[in-house]
């Protein structure tokens, strides 16, 4: 039975991923702030380290899958928390569990990015460089001085996608696949909070995918389950936009 760790397991996309993978026969190690096998706050270094240690204990040092879904949106209490959870809360787990994944059967990891990462293409914010340098203190400071959580969100998702793609060569040589799924609008508590927000609500509601609707967590989870399966055995280092056509709408000629 494959053993897969899933962050953000208590809600939205993460919960849908857990359900589908359980149906596919995986043993799930769920990680979230509460209501999970591993309760941890991924916005702090101590919380991330505790999460890695507890997962290593529960999987006995051998992991077949890792899926990083935990994230916060533009309604997070601060821009720094957006960077702390969406970038460092992902990279600490990916790096911390790499050795356990290298011992797994057909191991595969996956990060939930966002179509919002596209906003940083061409001219990334300085926060992106700080994140990719692993300089959390600087990244958090830049975030708190920056123009707002929407920029921090886009920067965090761009950086975490670049982080994943930069690992393609070394991880490929170890036989660990690593991909990114970049959703568009998906009906979850995070998305609802964005729509209800007085600062961003109108913009979020007006940004409608060509298919004319938001996706469901299950529609994202189905792609995740496929990418984690043996059917996707040659897919590595790729970014999948599951967004009802938003990416194509924004940059048809660039891919
Ligand atoms: P959600 O709010 O339903 O689920 C997010 C989960 O992450 C929650 O269970 C929450 O407790 C957990 N989490 C947040 N901060 C945490 C922390 N400090 N420590 C541990 N766990 C923490 O949201 P949703 O929509 O399912 O989000 C999942 C991922 O999808 C996120 O990375 C989000 O950025 C991404 N995404 C969502 C979109 C949407 O429209 N819903 C669009 C594009 C990307």
């Amino acid at each position: 039975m494959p053993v897969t760790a899933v962050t953000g397991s208590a809600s939205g996309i993460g919960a849908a991923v857990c359900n589908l993978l359980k149906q596919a026969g995986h043993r799930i190690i769920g990680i979230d702030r509460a209501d999970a096998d591993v309760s941890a706050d991924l916005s702090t270094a101590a919380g991330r380290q505790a999460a890695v240690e507890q997962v290593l204990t529960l999987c006995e040092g051998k992991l077949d899958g890792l899926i990083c879904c935990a994230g916060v949106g533009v309604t997070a209490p601060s821009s720094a928390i957006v960077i702390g959870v969406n970038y460092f809360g992902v990279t600490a787990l990916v790096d911390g569990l790499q050795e356990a994944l290298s011992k797994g059967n057909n191991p595969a990891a996956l990060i939930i990015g966002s179509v919002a990462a596209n906003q940083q293409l061409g001219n990334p914010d300085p926060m992106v460089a700080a994140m990719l340098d692993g300089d959390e203190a600087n990244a958090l400071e830049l975030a708190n001085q920056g123009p707002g959580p929407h920029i921090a969100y886009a920067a965090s998702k761009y950086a975490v996608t670049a982080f994943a793609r930069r690992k393609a060569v070394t991880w490929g040589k170890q036989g660990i696949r690593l991909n990114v799924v970049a959703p568009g609008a998906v009906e979850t508590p995070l998305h609802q909070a964005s729509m209800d927000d007085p600062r961003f609500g109108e913009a979020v509601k007006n940004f409608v995918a060509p298919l004319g609707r938001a996706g469901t967590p299950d529609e994202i989870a189905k792609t995740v389950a496929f990418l984690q399966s043996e059917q996707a055995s040659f897919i590595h280092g790729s970014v999948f936009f599951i967004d009802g056509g938003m990416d194509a709408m924004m940059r048809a000629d660039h891919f």
Side-chain angles (χ1 to χ4, degrees):
M1 178 186 272
V3 180
T4 296
V6 180
T7 76
S9 56
S11 178
I13 294 168
V17 164
C18 291
N19 284 339
L20 266 191
L21 289 185
K22 272 183 201 159
Q23 286 168 31
H26 290 237
R27 183 189 141 211
I28 300 294
I29 302 173
I31 306 154
D32 211 305
R33 283 181 291 207
D35 302 323
D37 303 301
V38 172
S39 295
D41 179 359
L42 299 177
S43 71
T44 69
R48 296 167 204 145
Q49 193 185 333
V52 168
E53 284 168 9
Q54 287 179 61
V55 170
L56 288 175
T57 301
L58 289 171
C59 73
E60 297 175 347
K62 182 173 172 286
L63 197 60
D64 306 306
L66 169 65
I67 304 166
C68 296
C69 302
V72 290
V74 292
T75 62
S78 73
S79 294
I81 286 181
V82 174
I83 302 291
V85 178
N86 294 5
Y87 186 80
F88 293 100
V90 172
T91 58
L93 266 78
V94 169
D95 286 336
L97 295 171
Q98 176 182 357
E99 194 184 332
L101 283 163
S102 72
K103 295 176 186 159
N105 291 328
N106 302 317
L110 188 144
I111 295 169
I112 300 290
S114 171
V115 74
N118 288 0
Q119 294 166 30
Q120 296 282 318
L121 286 170
N123 188 21
D125 192 281
M127 268 182 280
V128 169
M131 281 184 264
L132 288 167
D133 285 347
D135 188 346
E136 185 168 2
N138 189 23
L140 298 193
E141 198 180 321
L142 288 168
N144 277 339
Q145 291 164 0
H150 55 308
I151 305 297
Y153 185 80
S156 72
K157 293 300 187 177
Y158 178 88
V160 87
T161 304
F163 164 86
R165 286 173 60 79
R166 288 180 182 191
K167 293 211 173 287
V169 175
T170 50
W171 279 45
K173 286 179 180 159
Q174 288 185 32
I176 316 172
R177 295 187 300 109
L178 174 60
N179 292 295
V180 175
V181 162
V186 182
E187 292 165 356
T188 68
L190 181 154
H191 182 59
Q192 188 60 49
S194 310
M195 288 201 295
D196 294 343
D197 187 274
R199 297 161 300 170
F200 305 109
E202 277 312 299
V204 173
K205 282 180 213 155
N206 290 333
F207 190 48
V208 179
L211 284 184
R213 64 175 176 87
T216 65
D218 240 22
E219 286 178 307
I220 307 302
K222 281 176 189 163
T223 305
V224 172
F226 166 73
L227 288 170
Q228 292 297 109
S229 78
E230 265 307 281
Q231 292 176 64
S233 51
F234 200 53
I235 302 180
H236 174 54
S238 293
V239 182
F240 290 80
F241 291 90
I242 313 297
D243 62 357
M246 275 181 174
D247 176 53
M249 179 172 73
M250 287 191 287
R251 47 168 201 151
D253 296 348
H254 298 275
F255 51 87

